[in-house]
Amino acid sequence: MRRRSLTAYGFLAPYLAIFAVFWLWPIIYSFMLSFMQTRRAPWGFNPNMTWGRIVQDPAFYNALKNTLTILAIQVPIMLTLATLLAVLLNSKLLKARGLLRFAFFAPVVIGEAAYAALFRLMFNAEFGIVNKVIETIGLNGVNWFGDPEAAMAVIIIAVTWRWVGYNAIIILSGLQSIPDDVYEAARLDNVSPRQQFLYITLPLLRPVILFSLVLSVIGSMQLFAEPFLITNVGGPGGATETLGLYLYRQGFLNLNFGYASAIAYTIAALAVAISALNLWIGREKA
């Protein structure tokens, strides 16, 4: 048994070595950096320049506010749409279900740069199709990338469009695991489709929805591509700058790696805390 165990660990050794070099060590090193000032040589231990700065940095709190705003608005809308879409895609009356499932999942496959360019064109204030539609019904066009609230709305719409199909497929897998016997018994008791959805489908889907919720929370806390590409690095005036984008700006534009590391661990801690809170609220009641 010992020889077989050593053989197994021998096959695992290359992966474990790569894992330690490219994943474990960077995590440990970035944690060490989070206590060091790295703006000038020589680098030295000075947590007041990193963790102390977070407490009193207005730009950090602006990025935190924007991130939580997106999280609070976009995630509930996306999961609601994903749940309804999953129910529709699971309907036996629907033709070409396989094709439609792929179509709604496809936005995840599209490159971020390509879909960001598409949204910039669609919401362009001068010739974008969104403003053209608004003007045809007699309303004034919106300066989508010049108004802070409008720019935030574009980010929320873009993220929802990209990820609603992905979450719908996850929830669809949960729907397909519900036994048909449950619905047959409900129909025999004259339970309406609406009551079946509210009192059978949603309770049985709770673990899957919680899983999607946790993934969405983690993704929202790391949101970077959309504000970077669509609203031109968090514009206007930082109105859509997220924590992920602020981390990038500190680490790769200002070359302040110590402060960027502290921001990264703050993001991770917030994601874990919010996810744990959601799991606690959605836990099974005894």
Side-chain angles (χ1 to χ4, degrees):
M1 290 295 295
R2 181 179 300 175
R3 182 180 299 175
R4 294 173 66 179
S5 297
L6 290 175
T7 302
Y9 281 110
F11 281 106
L12 287 173
Y15 168 78
L16 294 176
I18 295 173
F19 174 82
V21 172
F22 294 101
W23 197 84
L24 184 60
W25 170 244
I27 290 178
I28 297 172
Y29 185 62
S30 66
F31 183 73
M32 295 166 54
L33 280 180
S34 69
F35 293 93
M36 301 173 65
Q37 72 80 20
T38 58
R39 294 300 301 273
R40 60 185 182 274
W43 294 1
F45 180 81
N46 191 348
N48 288 331
M49 294 291 290
T50 55
W51 295 104
R53 178 179 171 182
I54 284 181
V55 180
Q56 53 189 1
D57 185 1
F60 171 81
Y61 285 110
N62 175 67
L64 176 62
K65 176 183 71 68
N66 293 335
T67 303
L68 294 179
T69 299
I70 294 171
L71 175 65
I73 298 175
Q74 184 268 330
V75 171
I77 293 174
M78 179 185 64
L79 291 181
T80 300
L81 292 176
T83 303
L84 296 176
L85 181 59
V87 172
L88 293 175
L89 292 175
N90 194 47
S91 174
K92 295 179 181 179
L93 301 176
L94 189 66
K95 303 298 182 182
R97 284 184 292 174
L99 178 62
L100 289 173
R101 291 170 186 174
F102 170 76
F104 283 107
F105 184 81
V108 180
V109 183
I110 298 174
E112 293 173 338
Y115 111 91
L118 175 65
F119 269 83
R120 284 193 63 85
L121 290 173
M122 289 173 55
F123 287 90
N124 186 278
E126 297 180 5
F127 52 81
I129 189 173
V130 175
N131 271 1
K132 294 296 183 183
V133 172
I134 291 175
E135 290 169 0
T136 57
I137 60 177
L139 300 176
N140 295 325
V142 179
N143 185 7
W144 293 102
F145 301 114
D147 180 79
E149 294 180 357
M152 181 64 74
V154 174
I155 295 295
I156 292 173
I157 293 170
V159 176
T160 301
W161 175 83
R162 182 173 174 82
W163 293 104
V164 68
Y166 174 84
N167 286 278
I169 297 301
I170 294 176
I171 296 172
L172 177 62
S173 66
L175 274 174
Q176 294 177 339
S177 68
I178 300 175
D180 292 335
D181 298 346
V182 178
Y183 294 105
E184 291 177 4
R187 285 191 290 269
L188 289 174
D189 290 334
N190 294 323
V191 178
S192 67
R194 176 179 172 275
Q195 291 174 323
Q196 291 180 34
F197 178 75
L198 292 176
Y199 301 110
I200 297 176
T201 304
L202 283 182
L204 293 177
L205 280 179
R206 179 164 59 180
V208 181
I209 294 176
L210 275 175
F211 175 73
S212 294
L213 176 60
V214 171
L215 289 182
S216 300
V217 167
I218 295 172
S220 298
M221 296 302 297
Q222 299 175 336
L223 192 64
F224 170 79
E226 286 77 5
F228 182 79
L229 296 172
I230 297 177
T231 55
N232 195 19
V233 197
T240 59
E241 184 175 54
T242 58
L243 287 174
L245 185 55
Y246 187 56
L247 184 155
Y248 167 81
R249 183 154 64 86
Q250 290 297 326
F252 296 99
L253 298 183
N254 297 341
L255 301 180
N256 191 356
F257 300 112
Y259 189 45
S261 298
I263 295 171
Y265 274 91
T266 303
I267 294 172
L270 287 172
V272 170
I274 297 173
S275 299
L277 178 63
N278 289 324
L279 290 173
W280 181 77
I281 293 174
R283 72 191 188 283
E284 293 283 350
K285 300 295 190 297

